[in-house]
Amino acid sequence: MPEIHHISAETHDRLQAEFTDLTGRGRIDIAAQIETARLLGDLSENGDYHAAKEEQGKMEGRIMRLKSILENCEIVAGFDDSAVAPGLVVSIRFKGDDEVEQFLFGSIEERRPGIEVVSPGSPMGQALEGARAGQTVTYEANGNQLSIEVVAIEA
């Protein structure tokens, strides 16, 4: 069963626009680059050709990733910030540390400037999901038990 991606409506629209652009203009542009490089001669020693083919491979990989996300997504709306859930920003403090860190809980595609993302599928994300402000949760990472306090949750 494919992984369900919890994303906001804004992120869905942005990913859909990127997908449409890459499958239209992107493919046309890369095909033109490959054709131009082909005209330069011997393909075995043609750096432009190999670079264009590598770029094409990366683009097709991104297209497949976007298609998977868009086909297997759930749009999160109406944030309830009483417990950690996809799309919310959670402020945490690791046990023994005074510094409070902020993370966006959800898909890497939700990225926001200046805030790292913690995936719900990660060990830390699994421990945080459903936690409330003031609660301490533990999880295992690299054979160590780590405890974190949920300081605040916000949309």
Side-chain angles (χ1 to χ4, degrees):
M1 181 160 192
E3 176 188 356
I4 300 297
H5 301 271
H6 296 90
I7 58 176
S8 66
E10 296 83 24
T11 297
H12 180 273
D13 293 346
R14 181 176 49 80
L15 296 179
Q16 184 64 55
E18 181 182 357
F19 179 79
T20 301
D21 181 58
L22 290 177
T23 55
R25 182 207 52 82
R27 283 182 170 157
I28 291 168
D29 288 353
I30 200 71
Q33 288 176 22
I34 291 169
E35 185 57 33
T36 300
R38 247 190 210 135
L39 297 175
L40 297 175
D42 184 10
L43 298 182
S44 65
E45 296 181 13
N46 187 328
D48 289 346
Y49 175 78
H50 293 289
K53 289 298 280 183
E54 185 176 326
E55 188 64 30
Q56 180 186 40
K58 289 178 185 177
M59 185 183 71
E60 290 300 328
R62 179 66 177 160
I63 289 170
M64 289 188 326
R65 171 87 175 131
L66 290 170
K67 182 177 180 184
S68 174
I69 291 170
L70 293 167
E71 288 177 349
N72 302 294
C73 72
E74 183 177 301
I75 296 177
V76 179
F79 294 110
D80 170 12
D81 61 3
S82 64
V84 177
L88 298 176
V89 175
V90 59
S91 299
I92 63 164
R93 181 177 19 248
F94 285 91
K95 182 179 180 182
D97 195 355
D98 293 333
E99 184 180 337
V100 174
E101 299 177 47
Q102 281 192 322
F103 292 91
L104 173 66
F105 187 79
S107 169
I108 190 71
E109 297 295 342
E110 286 286 338
R111 63 185 166 254
R112 294 185 191 165
I115 300 178
E116 289 189 49
V117 176
V118 63
S119 166
S122 70
M124 182 175 155
Q126 289 174 359
L128 283 171
E129 190 159 21
R132 299 185 179 281
Q135 188 175 354
T136 299
V137 297
T138 60
Y139 67 99
E140 187 175 326
N142 298 325
N144 298 314
Q145 284 290 101
L146 300 173
S147 294
I148 48 178
E149 176 191 359
V150 178
V151 176
I153 304 165
E154 53 195 78

